[in-house]
Structures are given as C-alpha cells and as structure tokens.
Amino acid sequence: MSESGAKHRLIAARISTTIVFLVNGIGIGAWAACVPALRHSLSLTDSALSLCLLAFSGGGLVGMPAAAWLVSRLGSQYATMLLGLIFPITMALPGFAPTLSVLIFAALIFGMGKGFLDVAMNTFAAALQTAWGSSIMSSFHAAFSVGGLVGSISIGLMFVNGLSVLMGLALLAIFSVVAIGACIALGLQLKIEEGRERYTRAFAIPSPALFGIGLLCFLGLLMEGGMADWSGVYMTTVVKVSTAQAAMGYAAFSLMMVAGRVLGDWFVGVFGERASLLVGATSAASGFAISLGSPTFELSVFGFALVGLGASNLVPLLFSAASRTVSLPPATAIAMTASIGYAGFLIGPPLIGFASDHIGLRLALVSLFLSAVLIGTFGPRLLAVQAAIKPFKLNA
C-alpha cells in the first residue's frame, strides 16, 4: 500500500475510533439523564438507587479484566469492534425494567458492557496514538464528552416531548449500533502494529509510579462518575428543579469537558503537565464548592461547568503519562491504568448513595470536592518524580 493510502486509512481509523468514544459517552450521558426518571418511576430511595449503581459498578469491575483477557487474545482493534456492537444493546436494557430487581440486573449487564468497551477502546486508542506519532488521546476523550452531552440533552428533549425512558434509550441504542457498524465498515479495519502488546499478559503487577497514576485516575473518574450518576438527583432533590432542568447540570459539565479537551493539547504544551494538572484540579474543586455551597439552579449549573472544565484533561493527561511507562507496552499500561481508574467511576457513585442516606446527598458529594483537592495536592508531585514520564510531542 502506498504511503498516501496508509495515511488515509490511519485517518479513517482515527475518525472511527473517535466515534466509538462518542457512542460510549452517549450511553453514559443517557444513563445519567435517566437516573432521576428511573428513581421517580420506581419510587426508589437513595439506598435502593445505590443498589442499582452498585450493580452497574459490579458489572464494570467484572467486565474490565475480562476485556483485558479478550484484548490479549483478539487484539484491541477486533475487541473494540465486537464490544462496540454489544455496548449499545446493553445501554437500552434499563428502560425495560418494571421493578427494582429487574433494574439491578439490567444495570449489571449495562455495567459489563461499559467495562468491556472502556478497556478495549482505550487500549486501541493507545496503539493508534503510537502509530499516529503524536499525542491524540485528548481528542478521543473529547469525543466521549461530546457523547455525554449528546446523550443527556437528547434524553432531556425526549422527556420534554413526552417520550418514556425505554423509548429514549432504545432510539439512542439504535443510532449507536448503526454508528458502530459504519465504523467497522469504514475505519476500524486498519492493521495496527500490536505484536508486542497483543501477546503480553492481560494482568501484571503495576510499578509504584504506575499504581500512583492509577490512583489519580481513580479520583478523577470518581468525580466523573459522581457527576454522571448524582448531578441530576442533586438538582432535583436539593436544588428542587424539574427532571428536564436537572439534565442541564450534567449537560453543562459535559459541554465544558468538551471545550477543555479540545484545547487540552495546546494548554499542556504551553503550561506543562504539572501546571495543567494543578489548574484543572483547582478549577474542579472550585466548581464543587460553588455548586454544593450555593444550591440554586444558576449557580449549580455554573459550578458543574467549572468542574467539567477542570476535570477535562486530568484523565487524558494521566493516560498519556501511563502510556510512556518504560517497563510496559503502552497499551498494556493504559489497560492497567484504566482498570484502576475506572473503578472510581464505578464504585464511587453507589458509595455516595449509601452515604447520602445517613448524612444527606449534599454532604456526601463533598467527597468529590475532596478528590479534586487530593489530585491538586499530590498529582504534580507524582508527575515530577515519575521517572517513566518523558517529554512528548503534542499536536500542533
């Protein structure tokens, strides 16, 4: 194949991978917007809702190591194709739940689909980044944030027009299957050099530095998971707004996540990794302080927007740092970091729910503020002492 043809296929693979991240974000945004409606329709307490979120978490924690094994056998591109088609189907399942027990089961399967796709798509993105020759991870995570925005706004508009949770999730699932099918046909067929990654062990003991990066990802994704699952409930129960208005809190968060990630490579190139991490964590902590300290609709939405802007580049930056771990192939390090980090996304929200029943949702969400403070305090130090992190070329 000519050099021009290979470049065109590489571009097609990047576009297709971006769409996979978009679909993943649509599923999470739709779930976040549907949580308050499911809580209302099934008359769930915060503890009962937390059981559903815990089931979602458990499914994800099962799915991640299983996905790591699948990626080691099939390669990340084929695993991404397969799991990209399965994920939208699992997305629609909560809409069929007539009772709490069925919703718990549906959330479990949906969580497995999420965990499967998270590891596969991030591993393939790392391999594609290596083939591309410069950092492009922020652009993929920007697509995920766009998906969260699209999913939450779409569900909100469907609710305004009288559609049910089932109909809303089903429509988005159909769209997602078609989008993934187009990706498989047009761009995900590219052969990426994965030889040293495809046959490495699916599990390994992370180095202290890589484990530290994973813990920072845990805190960053704990904030994202908390926003996805509890921002809408906070808006309806504490701020006292309608279900349709509640979706705007997560939409503002997602919109600023997109803006921050679109500018992410430029910002890191100008100010450096440590300063970018510190500024992001400070912005997120300030946003939580505003939203939790002043529970009005306008200030809550503004605060959640600050959280989105601050959190936008924390995880992409840390994933890129993990991919430069000297002792492991980039995709293996990404998969390990994702497994540690996404545990925060999955297990944090149900713990917030259980705490909410004892101390109230507002105080329970202070844990997200503290997560931002911890990232700002320890993150720059870890980046400074992590010998495996080296300067890297950023996109122009």
Side-chain angles (χ1 to χ4, degrees):
M1 180 182 294
S2 67
E3 182 177 346
S4 175
K7 183 63 175 178
H8 287 159
R9 294 195 67 188
L10 193 61
I11 292 172
R14 180 175 178 180
I15 293 172
S16 296
T17 305
T18 300
I19 294 174
V20 174
F21 275 76
L22 177 77
V23 165
N24 193 304
I26 287 174
I28 296 305
W31 167 252
C34 286
V35 164
L38 289 167
R39 179 180 183 271
H40 175 74
S41 64
L42 298 179
S43 301
L44 303 178
T45 65
D46 284 349
S47 291
L49 180 60
S50 293
L51 290 175
C52 301
L53 301 180
L54 187 61
F56 179 80
S57 304
L61 293 176
V62 170
M64 285 180 183
W69 176 84
L70 188 64
V71 167
S72 71
R73 298 295 178 180
L74 298 181
S76 62
Q77 68 188 76
Y78 292 116
T80 300
M81 292 181 202
L82 174 63
L83 300 174
L85 287 173
I86 292 174
F87 174 72
I89 298 172
T90 67
M91 180 201 312
L93 294 180
F96 289 93
T99 64
L100 174 61
S101 58
V102 177
L103 180 60
I104 289 174
F105 178 75
L108 175 71
I109 302 302
F110 180 41
M112 290 180 66
K114 165 71 175 169
F116 278 138
L117 186 56
D118 278 339
V119 172
M121 72 182 189
N122 276 291
T123 303
F124 183 67
L128 184 58
Q129 178 174 248
T130 300
W132 192 267
S134 62
S135 177
I136 57 176
M137 189 66 75
S138 286
S139 67
F140 295 132
H141 286 262
F144 175 84
S145 297
V146 170
L149 181 65
V150 170
S152 60
I153 290 180
S154 297
I155 291 295
L157 291 175
M158 291 177 193
F159 286 166
V160 169
N161 288 279
L163 273 68
S164 66
V165 172
L166 173 58
M167 184 61 67
L169 291 177
L171 289 174
L172 288 178
I174 292 170
F175 168 81
S176 298
V177 168
V178 172
I180 295 295
C183 290
I184 293 173
L186 299 177
L188 286 180
Q189 302 285 350
L190 178 71
K191 286 287 185 181
I192 299 288
E193 276 299 326
E194 288 189 283
R196 66 180 184 138
E197 297 166 2
R198 181 174 177 177
Y199 299 105
T200 55
R201 291 174 295 172
F203 303 96
I205 298 176
S207 66
L210 185 61
F211 185 69
I213 292 174
L215 288 179
L216 292 182
C217 285
F218 179 96
L219 295 174
L221 288 167
L222 171 63
M223 290 191 291
E224 293 188 32
M227 285 296 301
D229 289 333
W230 288 107
S231 61
V233 177
Y234 176 79
M235 295 290 283
T236 56
T237 61
V238 178
V239 186
K240 306 293 186 183
V241 298
S242 68
T243 302
Q245 285 179 304
M248 294 302 101
Y250 187 73
F253 169 81
S254 297
L255 179 62
M256 295 310 292
M257 287 279 283
V258 172
R261 284 174 173 173
V262 167
L263 299 174
D265 286 339
W266 170 82
F267 193 88
V268 173
V270 172
F271 297 101
E273 294 178 333
R274 284 176 287 167
S276 298
L277 195 72
L278 179 59
V279 170
T282 301
S283 175
S286 300
F288 281 123
I290 292 172
S291 296
L292 300 177
S294 303
T296 64
F297 175 70
E298 293 79 8
L299 285 177
S300 294
V301 171
F302 174 70
F304 288 155
L306 274 182
V307 173
L309 182 63
S312 59
N313 284 301
L314 298 181
V315 173
L317 194 156
L318 293 167
F319 274 11
S320 292
S323 73
R324 297 191 303 278
T325 299
V326 174
S327 59
L328 290 172
T332 302
I334 284 284
M336 292 170 63
T337 304
S339 296
I340 298 171
Y342 276 108
F345 191 94
L346 296 172
I347 69 176
L351 293 179
I352 289 172
F354 289 124
S356 173
D357 274 349
H358 294 89
I359 62 175
L361 181 57
R362 196 172 170 190
L363 284 178
L365 291 177
V366 171
S367 61
L368 304 183
F369 165 79
L370 294 176
S371 295
V373 171
L374 289 171
I375 292 174
T377 302
F378 297 104
R381 298 179 186 179
L382 178 60
L383 295 189
V385 302
Q386 161 62 310
I389 299 178
K390 302 174 182 179
F392 60 98
K393 180 180 179 181
L394 296 166
N395 288 337

